[in-house]
Amino acid sequence: MKKIIYSLSILLAAYTTSIAQETPQTTEESSSFSNFFSQNMEYQVRAHFSIGGTSPLGLPKEIRSIESYNPTLQLGLEANATKWISDDSKWGVRVGLRFESKGMKTKADVKGYLTEIIQDNQKVRGYYTGKVQTTVKNTYITFPISAVYKVSSKWDVYGGLYFSGLIDKTFEGYVSDGYLRQNVPNGTKINFEEGARADYDFSSEVNRFQWGTQLGGEWKMNDHFRLFADATYGFNPVLNKDFQSISFSMHNIYLNLGFGYKF
């Protein structure tokens, strides 16, 4: 029994010594982890409004002219963190989380415009000539990732990628003051005159995932407040790639203007 107690005492002493030696290292690792999020870090909240639209690149031949454009009120809120990684704090990496809406209202004069309308509770696909009004309002949760460069004590520039998930969606409108050729450019003619119109709704075809690029700059008003502007462009189409009722691809192209507060 004495030998057992003696052996257990030696093992307990060895274990206690081992713990005592490991504890400073653990504390040091915890301190390093904490320092990573406190040293050379900037935390910021932002608010912005957007001007832009869901648009093709260039004006397709089907669209004769844009008669009206209303960017409507598109707002966004963002929280981000910037880690300065260079010794002189010139270069940094910024990640964030943003809730934002993107939308517009437009009215265009079109000719031979491929679309799909609702006529007598049925969907009719064809080529439309006349007026088309479109309303878009989509809401996203967005994860931006950017490289940041400190140009001067007052100016930073940044650029990178963003990845967005769709929360709410609207892509709808109506046609009026014209006619539709069913299925083919010389198909059966359906007239819309004297105030007659037909609605369309492509909301179910809005792509649930968006990704693209952003490029911008921010000006430091003082130690806390910032003014910024950035442009964003969506790489993938707003409508699903297998959607065939519009003949051209449409992308989110927006300019964001706003202010931020650095903690």
Side-chain angles (χ1 to χ4, degrees):
M1 178 65 70
K2 289 183 180 179
K3 290 182 178 179
I4 293 174
I5 294 174
Y6 180 73
S7 298
L8 289 174
S9 298
I10 293 175
L11 289 174
L12 180 61
Y15 177 76
T16 303
T17 302
S18 174
I19 292 296
Q21 291 175 345
E22 291 179 2
T23 299
Q25 182 179 358
T26 303
T27 304
E28 182 179 348
E29 290 175 354
S30 177
S31 177
S32 297
F33 183 78
S34 177
N35 288 340
F36 179 86
F37 291 98
S38 60
Q39 295 181 359
N40 298 321
M41 290 289 296
E42 288 186 7
Y43 297 95
Q44 189 179 149
V45 291
R46 288 177 158 193
H48 74 257
F49 69 92
S50 298
I51 301 173
T54 301
S55 171
L57 286 176
L59 201 63
K61 65 180 186 302
E62 296 94 332
I63 301 178
R64 291 174 168 178
S65 64
I66 303 295
E67 294 196 349
S68 67
Y69 163 75
N70 181 356
T72 64
L73 184 62
Q74 307 301 324
L75 302 176
L77 292 173
E78 176 182 330
N80 63 53
T82 303
K83 176 69 175 181
W84 298 104
I85 57 177
S86 63
D87 293 337
D88 56 0
S89 295
K90 285 280 190 181
W91 287 96
V93 176
R94 176 176 294 170
V95 295
L97 176 66
R98 182 165 69 230
F99 293 90
E100 60 185 342
S101 59
K102 296 181 177 182
M104 63 174 188
K105 287 184 178 181
T106 62
K107 191 171 185 178
D109 185 18
V110 303
K111 181 178 181 181
Y113 178 81
L114 180 61
T115 190
E116 185 178 78
I117 62 172
I118 301 172
Q119 180 76 357
D120 298 328
N121 295 321
Q122 292 183 341
K123 292 182 178 180
V124 180
R125 188 170 182 266
Y127 294 83
Y128 190 79
T129 298
K131 311 294 184 186
V132 175
Q133 180 158 316
T134 301
T135 298
V136 177
K137 186 173 178 61
N138 298 320
T139 304
Y140 298 91
I141 180 171
T142 299
F143 302 91
I145 304 173
S146 298
V148 186
Y149 178 70
K150 191 184 297 294
V151 178
S152 67
S153 60
K154 286 290 187 181
W155 283 96
D156 294 342
V157 295
Y158 54 91
L161 300 175
Y162 69 83
F163 305 89
S164 298
L166 187 69
I167 298 175
D168 195 20
K169 54 188 178 179
T170 298
F171 196 113
E172 62 187 15
Y174 63 86
V175 300
S176 62
D177 301 319
Y179 60 89
L180 179 82
R181 293 284 189 179
Q182 285 186 257
N183 299 321
V184 293
N186 60 349
T188 302
K189 189 176 183 180
I190 303 175
N191 291 304
F192 298 92
E193 299 174 346
E194 298 179 356
R197 53 182 269 186
D199 297 329
Y200 66 87
D201 190 348
F202 302 149
S203 300
S204 62
E205 298 294 338
V206 177
N207 201 327
R208 292 187 174 275
F209 172 74
Q210 282 278 300
W211 76 292
T213 186
Q214 62 179 19
L215 180 65
E218 61 184 14
W219 178 67
K220 302 174 184 178
M221 299 175 63
N222 53 40
D223 290 341
H224 294 289
F225 288 98
R226 308 285 190 265
L227 295 177
F228 71 90
D230 56 47
T232 63
Y233 171 74
F235 289 145
N236 61 326
V238 172
L239 300 176
N240 292 322
K241 63 180 181 179
D242 57 350
F243 181 61
Q244 300 296 323
S245 293
I246 293 182
S247 59
F248 47 82
S249 177
M250 305 181 75
H251 299 259
N252 280 328
I253 307 172
Y254 285 87
L255 173 67
N256 303 320
L257 303 172
F259 65 91
Y261 181 87
K262 183 184 82 70
F263 293 94

